[in-house]
């Protein structure tokens, strides 16, 4: 046994590196093991989120949105641009630079917190021992007071549409295209399908999204999902619902896709196909047979509400455990695990985790959908406010969408807030905080909102819940 630590974290994504930093803040000795390797062969902390997920996708969404606005919207403001073009190689270079800066920043944060960043593979043995195999060098066994598993997730691969890394790709592949494919197919109209479909649609690809379910964005409030669907279709996204892919094969420079829908068997030929049908927990080589850590039938590490696994002193956080696969959910679990190890009393409020889809318009929500509240049998009231009635949204030329608030009829508690519209991902924070503090709808009604701001739409929607909207007719 070469080294001992108070805490060993396996995985350096947003769940793992945050757990490591928080544990170090408690004065504990901490090691964080990570094996992520980028396509240039270089290792980097930050996991999926920083290297191949949240950050690179948002960089491309921003670039492509600016290009789209320059070509479609500037003239409405009286701005003449002449010919506008996009240099995809330069756009990709900018994205890569952002990723490099941020992942390098995490290595710096670990160092500053005195966390020992170990590059290589970690495997949990019995009794909180961890086998560490560095990318170069000898395997050693580390002893830990506590272990935090944060091994993340990986894309689901369909046997009938296996990745070839060139024409049939996962989300990482779709973040790396060197030019906009003429015709792009996407399997799955989930978060990744919509975000990356939007990127390449804006950059000129003819995008067809095949979604097996009949319902669009089934996890979102259906009133807002329908509104968003209308807007995506008007942007040129060809979203085919009830379309179950049965086969995809590379044939020369093309991909031949077969799917079935209500009208029978269909075919589609595309230049590239992105398969984005969900992610699965990644635990390859993570657990020795006698680690004592249980997994469920889908491969998730089984944990309780405090992220304690079935092995004593072993926690698991982030995408490798139940709950939404979101970076901020994983980070909060990482903080909770470290605080619990330090002996503090803490919890994650799983009922108040915001979701954001970074399309244009953005879609954001927190709490229950109207469908969920209805199914619960609870008496409720709703209020909504369209961005078309917002002075700030008009000034921004972004009037699509609305805010909808669902509140309890009896005690006025806010049950869910759903936003489709400009900056929805930023706006949602106000109501996340309100719900965290168990605010009533009246609390938002009585809160002064600056004018003219997009946040006034939240204020007006809260007033509309009690038929008191001031800048939109009450119904
Ligand atoms: P990961 O980020 O996957 O990190 C796990 C790390 O552990 C990896 O570095 C892996 O190499 C390492 N590891 C695994 N096993 C071992 C081992 N045995 N030894 C050593 N190292 C190991 N979420 C959001 O909240 N907002 C977004 O905007 C968003 N956008 C996304 C866009 C895309 C295209 C994708 C794919 C995902 C996106 N997500 C987003 C989801 C988000 O990336 C994940 O929820 C988040 O990264 C999960 O964090 P994690 O730390 O649990 O796992
Ligand atoms: P998802 O679960 O959001 O969507 C997958 C979609 O694929 C579903 O609508 C599903 O019905 C459909 N599908 C499944 N099998 C199919 C088939 N055979 N044919 C056609 N459609 C099929 O998954 P995702 O988009 O791959 O994203 C994975 C995870 O990453 C999500 O859990 C998400 O939370 C996370 N993520 C988050 C963000 C964000 O927060 N903005 C962005 C990207 C990814």
């Amino acid at each position: 046994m070469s080294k001992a630590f108070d805490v060993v974290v396996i995985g350096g994504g947003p769940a793992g590196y945050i757990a490591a930093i928080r544990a170090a803040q408690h004065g504990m000795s901490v090691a964080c093991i990570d094996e992520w390797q980028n396509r240039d062969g270089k290792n980097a902390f930050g996991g999926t989120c920083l290297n191949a997920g949240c950050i690179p996708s948002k960089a491309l969404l921003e670039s492509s949105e600016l290009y789209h606005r320059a070509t479609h919207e500037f003239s409405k403001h009286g701005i003449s641009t002449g010919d506008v073009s996009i240099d995809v190689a330069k756009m990709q270079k900018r994205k890569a630079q952002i990723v490099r800066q941020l992942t390098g920043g995490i290595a710096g944060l670990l160092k500053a917190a005195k966390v020992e960043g170990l590059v290589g593979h970690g495997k949990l043995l019995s009794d909180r021992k961890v086998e560490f195999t560095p990318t170069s060098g000898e395997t050693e066994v580390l002893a830990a007071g506590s272990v935090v598993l944060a091994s993340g997730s990986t894309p689901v691969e369909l046997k009938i549409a296996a990745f070839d890394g060139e024409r049939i790709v996962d989300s990482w592949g779709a973040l790396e295209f060197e030019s906009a494919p003429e015709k792009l197919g996407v399997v799955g109209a989930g978060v990744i399908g919509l975000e990356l479909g939007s990127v390449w649609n804006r950059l000129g690809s003819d995008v067809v999204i095949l979604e097996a379910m009949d319902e669009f964005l089934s996890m979102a409030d259906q009133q807002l999902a329908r509104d968003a669907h209308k807007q995506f279709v008007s942007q040129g996204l060809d979203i085919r619902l009830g379309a179950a892919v049965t086969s995809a094969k590379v044939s020369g420079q093309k991909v031949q896709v077969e799917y079935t829908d209500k009208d029978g068997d269909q075919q589609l030929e595309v230049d590239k196909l992105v398969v984005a049908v969900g992610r699965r927990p990644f635990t390859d080589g993570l657990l020795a047979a006698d680690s004592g850590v249980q997994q469920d039938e889908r491969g998730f590490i089984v944990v309780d509400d405090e992220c304690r696994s079935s092995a004593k002193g072993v926690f698991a956080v982030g995408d490798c455990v139940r709950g939404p696969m979101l970076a901020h959910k994983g980070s909060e679990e990482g903080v909770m695990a470290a605080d619990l190890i330090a002996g503090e009393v803490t919890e994650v409020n799983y009922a108040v985790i915001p979701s954001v889809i970074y399309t244009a318009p953005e879609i954001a929500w927190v709490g229950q959908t109207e469908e969920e509240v209805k199914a619960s049998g609870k008496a409720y009231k709703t209020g909504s406010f369209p961005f078309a009635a917002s002075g700030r949204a008009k000034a921004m030329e972004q009037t699509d969408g609305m805010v909808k608030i669902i509140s309890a009829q009896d005690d006025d508690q806010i049950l869910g807030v759903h936003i489709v519209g400009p900056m929805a991902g930023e706006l949602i924070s106000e109501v996340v905080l309100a719900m965290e503090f168990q605010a009533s709808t009246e609390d938002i009604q009585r809160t002064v909102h600056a004018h003219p701001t997009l946040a006034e739409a939240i204020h007006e929607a809260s007033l509309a819940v009690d038929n008191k909207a001031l800048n939109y007719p009450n119904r």
Side-chain angles (χ1 to χ4, degrees), residues 136-150:
S136 58
E138 302 247 312
T139 295
E140 55 183 324
V141 175
L142 314 175
S146 302
V147 175
V148 180
L149 305 173

Side-chain angles (χ1 to χ4, degrees), residues 8 124-130 142-147 291 312-314:
V8 172
L124 180 70
L125 310 176
S126 61
D127 300 326
R128 283 161 282 134
K129 290 193 292 293
V130 174
L142 314 175
S146 302
V147 175
S291 71
K312 193 163 178 278
V314 179

Side-chain angles (χ1 to χ4, degrees), residues 123-309:
K123 181 179 192 173
L124 180 70
L125 310 176
S126 61
D127 300 326
R128 283 161 282 134
K129 290 193 292 293
V130 174
E131 181 186 274
F132 168 55
T133 307
T135 40
S136 58
E138 302 247 312
T139 295
E140 55 183 324
V141 175
L142 314 175
S146 302
V147 175
V148 180
L149 305 173
S151 55
S153 64
T154 192
V156 167
E157 181 164 17
L158 295 177
K159 277 201 184 104
I160 45 126
F163 300 127
D164 75 342
E166 171 62 29
R167 302 225 158 250
I168 303 181
V169 300
D170 62 11
S171 52
W172 197 2
L175 288 166
E176 301 293 331
F177 290 156
E178 287 166 5
S179 60
E182 203 168 307
K183 186 139 187 160
L184 177 66
V186 181
V187 188
V191 193
I192 292 179
L194 291 172
E195 288 188 356
L196 296 184
S198 293
V199 165
W200 295 108
N201 178 49
R202 293 167 191 164
L203 298 179
S205 297
D206 181 4
V207 178
V208 180
I209 306 183
L210 302 172
E211 167 58 50
M213 306 260 285
D214 292 325
E215 214 171 46
F216 180 65
L217 283 179
S218 55
M219 68 285 207
D221 185 277
Q222 283 303 294
Q223 185 186 356
L224 276 82
R226 280 192 296 274
D227 187 344
H229 181 259
K230 222 183 295 165
Q231 293 171 47
F232 293 140
V233 170
S234 76
Q235 290 166 14
L237 284 177
D238 180 351
I239 303 170
R240 302 184 189 174
L241 300 175
V245 174
T246 51
S247 143
K249 289 198 179 84
V250 176
S251 159
Q253 304 293 301
K254 304 282 181 190
V255 184
Q256 306 297 337
V257 184
E258 293 178 1
Y259 65 95
T260 54
D261 63 13
K262 61 178 180 3
D263 299 320
D265 295 340
Q266 310 288 346
Q267 289 184 340
L268 176 74
E269 184 182 85
V270 293
D271 297 293
K272 302 250 188 199
L273 184 72
V274 184
V275 179
V277 295
R279 294 176 64 82
R280 62 171 177 84
F282 178 79
T283 55
D284 295 4
L286 176 70
L287 304 169
D290 60 352
S291 71
V293 170
Q294 273 175 18
Q295 290 174 267
D296 68 14
E297 64 288 349
R298 293 165 64 205
F300 288 99
I301 295 171
V302 177
V303 289
D304 65 11
D305 286 350
E306 293 188 328
C307 287
R308 293 177 201 273
S309 79

